Amino acid sequence: VSTQHAQAAAITVTPGATDQTVNGNCSLYEAVEAANTDASVDACPAGSGADTISIPDGAYTISVINLSTSSAVSLVGQSRSGTVLNIDTDYGINKGDGDLSISHLTVKNGFGISGSGDGNVTINDTIWENASTSSTWSGINITQSGSDEFTFNITDSIVRGNTNQGNSGAGLYASNFETINLNNVDVHDNTLGTPSNQDGAIELRGTQATLNNVDSHNNSNISGLGVAAQNTEMNQIDSYDNEGSGMRISPFVGTNQT
């Protein structure tokens, strides 16, 4: 008796392509759709299992609709400075259910990334900059919607120059994860429209939070760092020159504590 397991698909994006027209290429939108649906789209092969989408260096304009994932997928750029997702106002990356990994690229403008689906999140070697919103968090905003059994990891990344004209926060927000790990992360020059000591430029909610070599500095109208977790471990943390408080560390009680 043999048991077959679905093999993950490797999908390579046509450099610079973000169209949604059947024209013989594999655009970034089409690659994500192929991964979500496990079906071929234009020149993109069908996804299968946890897919890897390789994105060559170039500029990719995200507009008209969000770039939305709803299955296990890895978005892998060629290089952090060379692979750039340039997002129009009011759009961004939207995470649904399924594990999501993003690495070796820059995300600019729009609202950055948001999501509330179940699944692990892994972010490595990235820059998130110049996102702007009027109501929700700008930059990185991931809230686990179901059980808190999943992990959020961000490593070797920069979150900078993001703005929220309202009072919800700007920078990095991760909530309702069992495990949250930050390693070599720099969050700076993010701005909140309405001054708040309740939100940090880095705001974390979960069971176990581990922070190593994390900087939060020069953020306007916002605290530097807020952590609400049952267990928090920190090493080489710098929070300075923020207009709100420096750091808030407190026990986590319930879901999405604020």
mmCIF file of all heavy atoms in Angstrom, residues 2-56:
data_model
loop_
_atom_site.group_PDB
_atom_site.id
_atom_site.type_symbol
_atom_site.label_atom_id
_atom_site.label_comp_id
_atom_site.label_asym_id
_atom_site.label_seq_id
_atom_site.Cartn_x
_atom_site.Cartn_y
_atom_site.Cartn_z
ATOM 1 N N SER A 2 0.660 2.144 -0.898
ATOM 2 C CA SER A 2 1.461 3.357 -0.960
ATOM 3 C C SER A 2 0.607 4.562 -0.592
ATOM 4 O O SER A 2 -0.584 4.611 -0.902
ATOM 5 C CB SER A 2 2.037 3.567 -2.374
ATOM 6 O OG SER A 2 0.990 3.752 -3.306
ATOM 7 N N THR A 3 1.227 5.504 0.078
ATOM 8 C CA THR A 3 0.544 6.738 0.455
ATOM 9 C C THR A 3 1.215 7.893 -0.260
ATOM 10 O O THR A 3 2.422 8.080 -0.156
ATOM 11 C CB THR A 3 0.623 6.966 1.971
ATOM 12 O OG1 THR A 3 0.033 5.840 2.619
ATOM 13 C CG2 THR A 3 -0.122 8.246 2.357
ATOM 14 N N GLN A 4 0.463 8.670 -1.018
ATOM 15 C CA GLN A 4 1.011 9.783 -1.755
ATOM 16 C C GLN A 4 0.740 11.079 -1.004
ATOM 17 O O GLN A 4 -0.329 11.295 -0.457
ATOM 18 C CB GLN A 4 0.407 9.869 -3.153
ATOM 19 C CG GLN A 4 0.790 8.689 -4.033
ATOM 20 C CD GLN A 4 0.231 8.840 -5.446
ATOM 21 O OE1 GLN A 4 -0.729 9.577 -5.655
ATOM 22 N NE2 GLN A 4 0.834 8.157 -6.391
ATOM 23 N N HIS A 5 1.739 11.951 -0.959
ATOM 24 C CA HIS A 5 1.604 13.248 -0.331
ATOM 25 C C HIS A 5 1.739 14.314 -1.398
ATOM 26 O O HIS A 5 2.560 14.206 -2.311
ATOM 27 C CB HIS A 5 2.684 13.437 0.742
ATOM 28 C CG HIS A 5 2.592 12.446 1.864
ATOM 29 N ND1 HIS A 5 1.733 12.603 2.922
ATOM 30 C CD2 HIS A 5 3.239 11.269 2.076
ATOM 31 C CE1 HIS A 5 1.864 11.588 3.768
ATOM 32 N NE2 HIS A 5 2.777 10.755 3.266
ATOM 33 N N ALA A 6 0.950 15.342 -1.292
ATOM 34 C CA ALA A 6 1.029 16.429 -2.251
ATOM 35 C C ALA A 6 2.378 17.114 -2.131
ATOM 36 O O ALA A 6 2.824 17.449 -1.039
ATOM 37 C CB ALA A 6 -0.092 17.433 -2.002
ATOM 38 N N GLN A 7 3.071 17.259 -3.270
ATOM 39 C CA GLN A 7 4.338 17.948 -3.275
ATOM 40 C C GLN A 7 4.115 19.426 -3.519
ATOM 41 O O GLN A 7 3.287 19.822 -4.324
ATOM 42 C CB GLN A 7 5.260 17.366 -4.350
ATOM 43 C CG GLN A 7 5.789 15.983 -4.013
ATOM 44 C CD GLN A 7 6.841 15.536 -5.011
ATOM 45 O OE1 GLN A 7 6.759 15.840 -6.182
ATOM 46 N NE2 GLN A 7 7.832 14.817 -4.525
ATOM 47 N N ALA A 8 4.884 20.216 -2.818
ATOM 48 C CA ALA A 8 4.756 21.658 -2.989
ATOM 49 C C ALA A 8 5.186 22.052 -4.394
ATOM 50 O O ALA A 8 6.098 21.470 -4.969
ATOM 51 C CB ALA A 8 5.613 22.376 -1.953
ATOM 52 N N ALA A 9 4.524 23.062 -4.927
ATOM 53 C CA ALA A 9 4.849 23.551 -6.257
ATOM 54 C C ALA A 9 5.828 24.710 -6.156
ATOM 55 O O ALA A 9 5.840 25.460 -5.176
ATOM 56 C CB ALA A 9 3.584 24.003 -6.976
ATOM 57 N N ALA A 10 6.667 24.835 -7.179
ATOM 58 C CA ALA A 10 7.563 25.987 -7.313
ATOM 59 C C ALA A 10 7.038 26.839 -8.461
ATOM 60 O O ALA A 10 6.942 26.383 -9.599
ATOM 61 C CB ALA A 10 8.987 25.528 -7.579
ATOM 62 N N ILE A 11 6.687 28.078 -8.154
ATOM 63 C CA ILE A 11 6.098 28.982 -9.138
ATOM 64 C C ILE A 11 7.010 30.196 -9.259
ATOM 65 O O ILE A 11 7.319 30.844 -8.260
ATOM 66 C CB ILE A 11 4.684 29.419 -8.709
ATOM 67 C CG1 ILE A 11 3.789 28.193 -8.461
ATOM 68 C CG2 ILE A 11 4.059 30.338 -9.745
ATOM 69 C CD1 ILE A 11 2.447 28.527 -7.822
ATOM 70 N N THR A 12 7.448 30.499 -10.481
ATOM 71 C CA THR A 12 8.341 31.632 -10.710
ATOM 72 C C THR A 12 7.596 32.741 -11.435
ATOM 73 O O THR A 12 6.996 32.521 -12.490
ATOM 74 C CB THR A 12 9.576 31.213 -11.520
ATOM 75 O OG1 THR A 12 10.297 30.210 -10.796
ATOM 76 C CG2 THR A 12 10.497 32.402 -11.742
ATOM 77 N N VAL A 13 7.650 33.933 -10.878
ATOM 78 C CA VAL A 13 6.944 35.086 -11.431
ATOM 79 C C VAL A 13 7.737 35.684 -12.590
ATOM 80 O O VAL A 13 8.973 35.753 -12.556
ATOM 81 C CB VAL A 13 6.734 36.144 -10.326
ATOM 82 C CG1 VAL A 13 6.156 37.434 -10.894
ATOM 83 C CG2 VAL A 13 5.844 35.588 -9.229
ATOM 84 N N THR A 14 7.029 36.118 -13.631
ATOM 85 C CA THR A 14 7.657 36.869 -14.712
ATOM 86 C C THR A 14 8.133 38.214 -14.159
ATOM 87 O O THR A 14 7.362 38.922 -13.509
ATOM 88 C CB THR A 14 6.654 37.112 -15.850
ATOM 89 O OG1 THR A 14 6.192 35.847 -16.348
ATOM 90 C CG2 THR A 14 7.291 37.894 -16.990
ATOM 91 N N PRO A 15 9.388 38.588 -14.374
ATOM 92 C CA PRO A 15 9.915 39.822 -13.768
ATOM 93 C C PRO A 15 9.035 41.045 -14.021
ATOM 94 O O PRO A 15 8.671 41.347 -15.156
ATOM 95 C CB PRO A 15 11.285 39.981 -14.438
ATOM 96 C CG PRO A 15 11.697 38.581 -14.766
ATOM 97 C CD PRO A 15 10.426 37.874 -15.144
ATOM 98 N N GLY A 16 8.649 41.704 -12.938
ATOM 99 C CA GLY A 16 7.886 42.938 -13.014
ATOM 100 C C GLY A 16 6.416 42.791 -13.330
ATOM 101 O O GLY A 16 5.688 43.792 -13.337
ATOM 102 N N ALA A 17 5.923 41.581 -13.558
ATOM 103 C CA ALA A 17 4.544 41.389 -14.022
ATOM 104 C C ALA A 17 3.555 41.354 -12.860
ATOM 105 O O ALA A 17 3.730 40.587 -11.908
ATOM 106 C CB ALA A 17 4.427 40.108 -14.840
ATOM 107 N N THR A 18 2.509 42.173 -12.939
ATOM 108 C CA THR A 18 1.426 42.151 -11.951
ATOM 109 C C THR A 18 0.059 42.212 -12.625
ATOM 110 O O THR A 18 -0.949 42.496 -11.966
ATOM 111 C CB THR A 18 1.543 43.337 -10.971
ATOM 112 O OG1 THR A 18 1.583 44.564 -11.702
ATOM 113 C CG2 THR A 18 2.775 43.206 -10.107
ATOM 114 N N ASP A 19 -0.014 41.942 -13.921
ATOM 115 C CA ASP A 19 -1.299 42.004 -14.618
ATOM 116 C C ASP A 19 -2.171 40.823 -14.226
ATOM 117 O O ASP A 19 -1.715 39.845 -13.621
ATOM 118 C CB ASP A 19 -1.076 42.000 -16.141
ATOM 119 C CG ASP A 19 -0.402 40.717 -16.608
ATOM 120 O OD1 ASP A 19 -1.127 39.738 -16.893
ATOM 121 O OD2 ASP A 19 0.846 40.679 -16.671
ATOM 122 N N GLN A 20 -3.426 40.898 -14.575
ATOM 123 C CA GLN A 20 -4.388 39.822 -14.337
ATOM 124 C C GLN A 20 -5.063 39.419 -15.652
ATOM 125 O O GLN A 20 -6.231 39.062 -15.679
ATOM 126 C CB GLN A 20 -5.422 40.273 -13.304
ATOM 127 C CG GLN A 20 -4.790 40.637 -11.965
ATOM 128 C CD GLN A 20 -5.784 41.196 -10.984
ATOM 129 O OE1 GLN A 20 -6.657 40.481 -10.474
ATOM 130 N NE2 GLN A 20 -5.695 42.497 -10.712
ATOM 131 N N THR A 21 -4.288 39.462 -16.718
ATOM 132 C CA THR A 21 -4.766 39.150 -18.062
ATOM 133 C C THR A 21 -4.089 37.888 -18.563
ATOM 134 O O THR A 21 -2.885 37.692 -18.352
ATOM 135 C CB THR A 21 -4.442 40.311 -19.026
ATOM 136 O OG1 THR A 21 -5.012 41.511 -18.521
ATOM 137 C CG2 THR A 21 -4.995 40.028 -20.407
ATOM 138 N N VAL A 22 -4.832 37.017 -19.224
ATOM 139 C CA VAL A 22 -4.249 35.806 -19.809
ATOM 140 C C VAL A 22 -3.459 36.220 -21.048
ATOM 141 O O VAL A 22 -4.013 36.486 -22.112
ATOM 142 C CB VAL A 22 -5.345 34.788 -20.175
ATOM 143 C CG1 VAL A 22 -4.722 33.557 -20.837
ATOM 144 C CG2 VAL A 22 -6.129 34.385 -18.938
ATOM 145 N N ASN A 23 -2.150 36.291 -20.876
ATOM 146 C CA ASN A 23 -1.297 36.762 -21.968
ATOM 147 C C ASN A 23 0.022 36.007 -22.067
ATOM 148 O O ASN A 23 0.976 36.487 -22.673
ATOM 149 C CB ASN A 23 -1.022 38.263 -21.797
ATOM 150 C CG ASN A 23 -0.385 38.586 -20.453
ATOM 151 O OD1 ASN A 23 -0.061 37.680 -19.682
ATOM 152 N ND2 ASN A 23 -0.199 39.866 -20.171
ATOM 153 N N GLY A 24 0.074 34.830 -21.457
ATOM 154 C CA GLY A 24 1.251 33.985 -21.612
ATOM 155 C C GLY A 24 2.366 34.230 -20.615
ATOM 156 O O GLY A 24 3.465 33.692 -20.779
ATOM 157 N N ASN A 25 2.098 35.012 -19.568
ATOM 158 C CA ASN A 25 3.115 35.188 -18.536
ATOM 159 C C ASN A 25 2.597 34.650 -17.204
ATOM 160 O O ASN A 25 1.482 34.115 -17.117
ATOM 161 C CB ASN A 25 3.536 36.661 -18.419
ATOM 162 C CG ASN A 25 2.437 37.551 -17.841
ATOM 163 O OD1 ASN A 25 1.361 37.079 -17.457
ATOM 164 N ND2 ASN A 25 2.700 38.849 -17.781
ATOM 165 N N CYS A 26 3.415 34.806 -16.172
ATOM 166 C CA CYS A 26 3.009 34.415 -14.814
ATOM 167 C C CYS A 26 3.236 35.615 -13.912
ATOM 168 O O CYS A 26 4.348 35.839 -13.413
ATOM 169 C CB CYS A 26 3.815 33.206 -14.335
ATOM 170 S SG CYS A 26 3.368 32.651 -12.654
ATOM 171 N N SER A 27 2.202 36.427 -13.750
ATOM 172 C CA SER A 27 2.322 37.630 -12.934
ATOM 173 C C SER A 27 2.269 37.266 -11.454
ATOM 174 O O SER A 27 1.917 36.146 -11.071
ATOM 175 C CB SER A 27 1.214 38.621 -13.275
ATOM 176 O OG SER A 27 -0.022 38.189 -12.720
ATOM 177 N N LEU A 28 2.589 38.241 -10.613
ATOM 178 C CA LEU A 28 2.560 37.993 -9.161
ATOM 179 C C LEU A 28 1.154 37.663 -8.694
ATOM 180 O O LEU A 28 0.956 36.730 -7.899
ATOM 181 C CB LEU A 28 3.103 39.220 -8.422
ATOM 182 C CG LEU A 28 3.183 39.124 -6.901
ATOM 183 C CD1 LEU A 28 3.974 37.913 -6.446
ATOM 184 C CD2 LEU A 28 3.785 40.405 -6.317
ATOM 185 N N TYR A 29 0.159 38.412 -9.152
ATOM 186 C CA TYR A 29 -1.224 38.088 -8.804
ATOM 187 C C TYR A 29 -1.576 36.670 -9.245
ATOM 188 O O TYR A 29 -2.206 35.903 -8.499
ATOM 189 C CB TYR A 29 -2.192 39.061 -9.472
ATOM 190 C CG TYR A 29 -2.397 40.380 -8.777
ATOM 191 C CD1 TYR A 29 -1.958 41.570 -9.349
ATOM 192 C CD2 TYR A 29 -3.058 40.464 -7.551
ATOM 193 C CE1 TYR A 29 -2.162 42.789 -8.731
ATOM 194 C CE2 TYR A 29 -3.263 41.677 -6.922
ATOM 195 C CZ TYR A 29 -2.812 42.843 -7.517
ATOM 196 O OH TYR A 29 -3.020 44.046 -6.894
ATOM 197 N N GLU A 30 -1.221 36.313 -10.470
ATOM 198 C CA GLU A 30 -1.566 34.997 -11.010
ATOM 199 C C GLU A 30 -0.845 33.888 -10.255
ATOM 200 O O GLU A 30 -1.409 32.801 -10.034
ATOM 201 C CB GLU A 30 -1.224 34.958 -12.499
ATOM 202 C CG GLU A 30 -2.123 35.853 -13.333
ATOM 203 C CD GLU A 30 -1.616 36.072 -14.745
ATOM 204 O OE1 GLU A 30 -0.393 35.899 -14.989
ATOM 205 O OE2 GLU A 30 -2.440 36.407 -15.619
ATOM 206 N N ALA A 31 0.392 34.128 -9.839
ATOM 207 C CA ALA A 31 1.136 33.124 -9.070
ATOM 208 C C ALA A 31 0.457 32.851 -7.731
ATOM 209 O O ALA A 31 0.328 31.696 -7.308
ATOM 210 C CB ALA A 31 2.571 33.596 -8.863
ATOM 211 N N VAL A 32 0.002 33.909 -7.062
ATOM 212 C CA VAL A 32 -0.692 33.728 -5.781
ATOM 213 C C VAL A 32 -2.022 33.011 -5.991
ATOM 214 O O VAL A 32 -2.394 32.129 -5.206
ATOM 215 C CB VAL A 32 -0.892 35.085 -5.088
ATOM 216 C CG1 VAL A 32 -1.798 34.943 -3.865
ATOM 217 C CG2 VAL A 32 0.457 35.665 -4.674
ATOM 218 N N GLU A 33 -2.732 33.353 -7.063
ATOM 219 C CA GLU A 33 -3.992 32.658 -7.350
ATOM 220 C C GLU A 33 -3.750 31.172 -7.618
ATOM 221 O O GLU A 33 -4.515 30.311 -7.158
ATOM 222 C CB GLU A 33 -4.685 33.304 -8.541
ATOM 223 C CG GLU A 33 -6.035 32.675 -8.869
ATOM 224 C CD GLU A 33 -6.717 33.305 -10.080
ATOM 225 O OE1 GLU A 33 -6.218 34.334 -10.587
ATOM 226 O OE2 GLU A 33 -7.750 32.747 -10.521
ATOM 227 N N ALA A 34 -2.686 30.846 -8.361
ATOM 228 C CA ALA A 34 -2.364 29.439 -8.637
ATOM 229 C C ALA A 34 -2.054 28.691 -7.348
ATOM 230 O O ALA A 34 -2.457 27.528 -7.168
ATOM 231 C CB ALA A 34 -1.186 29.356 -9.598
ATOM 232 N N ALA A 35 -1.357 29.355 -6.429
ATOM 233 C CA ALA A 35 -1.058 28.728 -5.136
ATOM 234 C C ALA A 35 -2.316 28.558 -4.295
ATOM 235 O O ALA A 35 -2.512 27.514 -3.653
ATOM 236 C CB ALA A 35 -0.024 29.567 -4.381
ATOM 237 N N ASN A 36 -3.182 29.554 -4.308
ATOM 238 C CA ASN A 36 -4.411 29.486 -3.504
ATOM 239 C C ASN A 36 -5.361 28.403 -3.993
ATOM 240 O O ASN A 36 -6.026 27.729 -3.192
ATOM 241 C CB ASN A 36 -5.143 30.830 -3.549
ATOM 242 C CG ASN A 36 -4.452 31.922 -2.753
ATOM 243 O OD1 ASN A 36 -3.640 31.646 -1.873
ATOM 244 N ND2 ASN A 36 -4.781 33.162 -3.048
ATOM 245 N N THR A 37 -5.460 28.245 -5.311
ATOM 246 C CA THR A 37 -6.481 27.376 -5.899
ATOM 247 C C THR A 37 -5.971 26.002 -6.315
ATOM 248 O O THR A 37 -6.767 25.139 -6.678
ATOM 249 C CB THR A 37 -7.092 28.054 -7.135
ATOM 250 O OG1 THR A 37 -6.054 28.265 -8.115
ATOM 251 C CG2 THR A 37 -7.737 29.378 -6.771
ATOM 252 N N ASP A 38 -4.641 25.796 -6.252
ATOM 253 C CA ASP A 38 -4.044 24.554 -6.748
ATOM 254 C C ASP A 38 -4.463 24.277 -8.197
ATOM 255 O O ASP A 38 -4.723 23.135 -8.578
ATOM 256 C CB ASP A 38 -4.413 23.361 -5.853
ATOM 257 C CG ASP A 38 -3.665 23.388 -4.533
ATOM 258 O OD1 ASP A 38 -2.705 24.174 -4.400
ATOM 259 O OD2 ASP A 38 -4.048 22.631 -3.615
ATOM 260 N N ALA A 39 -4.518 25.334 -8.978
ATOM 261 C CA ALA A 39 -4.866 25.231 -10.398
ATOM 262 C C ALA A 39 -3.946 26.147 -11.186
ATOM 263 O O ALA A 39 -3.485 27.178 -10.679
ATOM 264 C CB ALA A 39 -6.326 25.625 -10.630
ATOM 265 N N SER A 40 -3.654 25.772 -12.435
ATOM 266 C CA SER A 40 -2.810 26.622 -13.263
ATOM 267 C C SER A 40 -3.555 27.907 -13.614
ATOM 268 O O SER A 40 -4.768 27.908 -13.805
ATOM 269 C CB SER A 40 -2.391 25.891 -14.535
ATOM 270 O OG SER A 40 -3.526 25.514 -15.289
ATOM 271 N N VAL A 41 -2.819 29.012 -13.675
ATOM 272 C CA VAL A 41 -3.380 30.312 -14.024
ATOM 273 C C VAL A 41 -2.440 30.963 -15.035
ATOM 274 O O VAL A 41 -1.273 31.211 -14.716
ATOM 275 C CB VAL A 41 -3.538 31.216 -12.785
ATOM 276 C CG1 VAL A 41 -4.113 32.574 -13.187
ATOM 277 C CG2 VAL A 41 -4.423 30.551 -11.739
ATOM 278 N N ASP A 42 -2.945 31.214 -16.244
ATOM 279 C CA ASP A 42 -2.105 31.745 -17.314
ATOM 280 C C ASP A 42 -0.884 30.838 -17.440
ATOM 281 O O ASP A 42 -1.046 29.634 -17.584
ATOM 282 C CB ASP A 42 -1.757 33.205 -17.029
ATOM 283 C CG ASP A 42 -1.367 33.983 -18.289
ATOM 284 O OD1 ASP A 42 -1.234 33.357 -19.368
ATOM 285 O OD2 ASP A 42 -1.200 35.208 -18.207
ATOM 286 N N ALA A 43 0.333 31.376 -17.346
ATOM 287 C CA ALA A 43 1.528 30.539 -17.495
ATOM 288 C C ALA A 43 2.034 30.010 -16.158
ATOM 289 O O ALA A 43 3.078 29.345 -16.118
ATOM 290 C CB ALA A 43 2.628 31.324 -18.192
ATOM 291 N N CYS A 44 1.328 30.277 -15.074
ATOM 292 C CA CYS A 44 1.740 29.777 -13.760
ATOM 293 C C CYS A 44 1.300 28.335 -13.592
ATOM 294 O O CYS A 44 0.123 28.011 -13.824
ATOM 295 C CB CYS A 44 1.122 30.614 -12.647
ATOM 296 S SG CYS A 44 1.495 32.369 -12.686
ATOM 297 N N PRO A 45 2.187 27.446 -13.159
ATOM 298 C CA PRO A 45 1.766 26.066 -12.900
ATOM 299 C C PRO A 45 0.843 25.994 -11.686
ATOM 300 O O PRO A 45 0.819 26.893 -10.851
ATOM 301 C CB PRO A 45 3.089 25.348 -12.624
ATOM 302 C CG PRO A 45 3.997 26.422 -12.110
ATOM 303 C CD PRO A 45 3.609 27.674 -12.854
ATOM 304 N N ALA A 46 0.078 24.915 -11.618
ATOM 305 C CA ALA A 46 -0.844 24.728 -10.503
ATOM 306 C C ALA A 46 -0.085 24.593 -9.189
ATOM 307 O O ALA A 46 0.967 23.959 -9.114
ATOM 308 C CB ALA A 46 -1.702 23.495 -10.734
ATOM 309 N N GLY A 47 -0.622 25.211 -8.156
ATOM 310 C CA GLY A 47 -0.075 25.024 -6.826
ATOM 311 C C GLY A 47 -0.378 23.636 -6.315
ATOM 312 O O GLY A 47 -1.247 22.924 -6.834
ATOM 313 N N SER A 48 0.354 23.242 -5.253
ATOM 314 C CA SER A 48 0.139 21.932 -4.653
ATOM 315 C C SER A 48 0.780 21.918 -3.275
ATOM 316 O O SER A 48 2.002 21.979 -3.167
ATOM 317 C CB SER A 48 0.734 20.818 -5.523
ATOM 318 O OG SER A 48 0.583 19.554 -4.909
ATOM 319 N N GLY A 49 -0.050 21.875 -2.245
ATOM 320 C CA GLY A 49 0.512 21.896 -0.902
ATOM 321 C C GLY A 49 1.054 23.264 -0.549
ATOM 322 O O GLY A 49 0.507 24.298 -0.933
ATOM 323 N N ALA A 50 2.178 23.280 0.176
ATOM 324 C CA ALA A 50 2.807 24.537 0.595
ATOM 325 C C ALA A 50 3.707 25.027 -0.532
ATOM 326 O O ALA A 50 4.797 24.511 -0.746
ATOM 327 C CB ALA A 50 3.604 24.331 1.873
ATOM 328 N N ASP A 51 3.255 26.021 -1.260
ATOM 329 C CA ASP A 51 3.929 26.444 -2.484
ATOM 330 C C ASP A 51 4.953 27.538 -2.226
ATOM 331 O O ASP A 51 4.816 28.338 -1.300
ATOM 332 C CB ASP A 51 2.902 26.959 -3.498
ATOM 333 C CG ASP A 51 1.812 25.925 -3.777
ATOM 334 O OD1 ASP A 51 2.168 24.784 -4.083
ATOM 335 O OD2 ASP A 51 0.626 26.281 -3.658
ATOM 336 N N THR A 52 5.981 27.581 -3.084
ATOM 337 C CA THR A 52 6.978 28.643 -3.049
ATOM 338 C C THR A 52 6.869 29.474 -4.314
ATOM 339 O O THR A 52 6.944 28.950 -5.428
ATOM 340 C CB THR A 52 8.404 28.070 -2.928
ATOM 341 O OG1 THR A 52 8.534 27.365 -1.691
ATOM 342 C CG2 THR A 52 9.436 29.189 -2.989
ATOM 343 N N ILE A 53 6.655 30.773 -4.139
ATOM 344 C CA ILE A 53 6.586 31.703 -5.257
ATOM 345 C C ILE A 53 7.882 32.503 -5.272
ATOM 346 O O ILE A 53 8.172 33.257 -4.343
ATOM 347 C CB ILE A 53 5.376 32.639 -5.127
ATOM 348 C CG1 ILE A 53 4.081 31.818 -5.180
ATOM 349 C CG2 ILE A 53 5.384 33.691 -6.217
ATOM 350 C CD1 ILE A 53 2.823 32.633 -4.950
ATOM 351 N N SER A 54 8.684 32.310 -6.327
ATOM 352 C CA SER A 54 9.949 33.020 -6.468
ATOM 353 C C SER A 54 9.718 34.299 -7.259
ATOM 354 O O SER A 54 9.161 34.266 -8.356
ATOM 355 C CB SER A 54 10.980 32.131 -7.182
ATOM 356 O OG SER A 54 11.265 30.978 -6.415
ATOM 357 N N ILE A 55 10.166 35.422 -6.685
ATOM 358 C CA ILE A 55 9.925 36.740 -7.278
ATOM 359 C C ILE A 55 11.268 37.352 -7.649
ATOM 360 O O ILE A 55 12.030 37.760 -6.769
ATOM 361 C CB ILE A 55 9.169 37.649 -6.297
ATOM 362 C CG1 ILE A 55 7.940 36.931 -5.715
ATOM 363 C CG2 ILE A 55 8.748 38.941 -6.978
ATOM 364 C CD1 ILE A 55 7.258 37.678 -4.589
ATOM 365 N N PRO A 56 11.592 37.439 -8.941
ATOM 366 C CA PRO A 56 12.880 38.017 -9.339
ATOM 367 C C PRO A 56 12.965 39.493 -8.974
ATOM 368 O O PRO A 56 11.953 40.153 -8.722
ATOM 369 C CB PRO A 56 12.886 37.830 -10.871
ATOM 370 C CG PRO A 56 11.849 36.788 -11.149
ATOM 371 C CD PRO A 56 10.812 36.952 -10.083
#
